[in-house]
Amino acid sequence: MANVLVTGGAGFIGSHTCVELIAAGHDIIVVDNFSNSKREALLRIEEISGKKLKFVEADILDQYALKMIFDKYRIDAVIHFAGLKAVGESVHMPVEYYHNNITGTLMLIKAMRAHNCKKIVFSSSATVYGVDNPVPYVETMPTHTSTNPYGYTKVMIEQILRDVAVSDPEWSIVLLRYFNPIGAHKSGLLGEDPNGIPNNLFPYIQQVAIGKRDYLGVFGNDYDTHDGTGVRDYIHVMDLARGHLCALDYALSNTGVEAVNLGTGKGSSVLDVLHAFEKACGRKIPYKIMPRRAGDIARCYANTDKAKELFGWQARYGIEEMCADGWNFIQKNPNGL
Ligand code: NAD
Ligand code: WQD
């Protein structure tokens, strides 16, 4: 069992992963600045796991705070979720996105190196596949283009981490490329809780279902897909959380760098998700067809062979469970956490 530092552990994916890490017997320390999360998430992790959580409220840009954490705890590995993630916002605030995500990661790597901690699992994204690769996306495809600053932070951080691995063969680095994480913890205590108007499909549908918004705007129905709406590889956040445990185990016993897709390999359209959610909540979800959203692609889904071969990991849940768990969460937390 390892001592694991979890950056961004109060966030959507981080909080679910903390629950799984604790259940697996790891000793974890969370660092978060709550720029996009709430302290309540940490209390919910404690409630689910029945354990007191070690937590430091700090910004990963703060080198003194990082030094203090690494001095105090003997950290074997880091799972690095902390980052800003809103695609549209990144177009308007590129400097803030590059600084937070890239400088933050550099600060973290420096603190790790100074304390001889050389194992990291990084939250990358399917967005690194850009717009030119054909689906399904395979890890060996080129990843040097993106459509927005957020996506470029992931492309660049992957490159930085690869260069670190080349410079020092003792490093062990796993770049996890998530597809579209949705759903919630079975208890309904944890789930996605975005600030303001949701940018992403699933939290928007949740808010229409609960009556907070009148209808879903469907961004385009003239794509080359089975019903004309955009197709994505939605993955249950608990499957994703379990994927991090596998990646951590791998990093603890291997060196070098590996990029690994975490998806289901199956594509679902906007209307497929909407209808699955209607089934889960037993209500109609009103929608209107709108123009396409800038930067969107028709289809995005994973080839999942590598995760299976390297980690023995496969997604277990389909969109029915994702919708049922998402509905349970929003019903129990209509105003978020
Ligand atoms: P989230 O915003 O819920 O979680 C990120 C957490 O990091 C938040 O709690 C935030 O407060 C914290 N944070 C941000 N900057 C920080 C800083 N400088 N110092 C300390 N804490 C900081 O996002 P999420 O959906 O849980 O995503 C986690 C990671 O996975 C991110 O790196 C994101 O880019 C990546 N990712 C997310 C998705 C997705 O669709 N949710 C898909 C692919 C990749
Ligand atoms: C899904 C589908 C939309 C909202 C984003 C990031 C990506 C990754 C995951 C971090 C698309 C349609 C959406 C709405 C809609 N994040 N849609 N109405 O764009 O696939 O991926 O999150 O790395 O980088 O870009 O996710 O949930 O925004 O959209 O019709 O109100 O739903 O057009 O087809 P996306 P999404």
Side-chain angles (χ1 to χ4, degrees), residues 254-274:
N254 292 275
T255 54
V257 54
E258 294 289 349
V260 183
N261 290 339
L262 291 183
T264 63
K266 292 186 194 73
S268 305
S269 72
V270 175
L271 293 179
D272 291 337
V273 178
L274 180 128

Side-chain angles (χ1 to χ4, degrees), residues 7 11 31 57-58 99-100 130 138 149-150 168 196 204 242 257 282 286 310 317:
T7 75
V31 58
E57 179 172 356
H99 185 54
N100 191 76
V138 184
Y150 165 74
D168 179 352
Y204 206 104
R242 195 168 42 82
V257 54
L310 212 62
Y317 301 114

Side-chain angles (χ1 to χ4, degrees), residues 10-12 15-16 38 40-41 44-45 48 182-195 198 202-207 209-210 212 236-238 277 280-281 321-337:
F12 171 45
S15 59
H16 290 80
K38 301 199 183 86
E40 178 65 23
R44 303 281 178 98
I45 296 170
I48 295 169
I182 61 170
H185 190 263
K186 277 263 173 283
S187 63
L189 288 168
L190 288 173
E192 190 170 8
D193 178 21
N195 293 329
F202 197 77
Y204 206 104
I205 291 181
Q206 284 178 311
Q207 295 199 0
I210 204 79
K212 265 190 151 177
H236 197 297
V237 66
M238 293 308 293
F277 207 99
C281 69
E321 284 103 338
M322 302 181 212
C323 291
D325 295 336
W327 174 234
N328 181 39
F329 172 73
I330 198 73
Q331 273 184 297
K332 290 189 170 146
N333 307 273
N335 297 312
L337 289 176

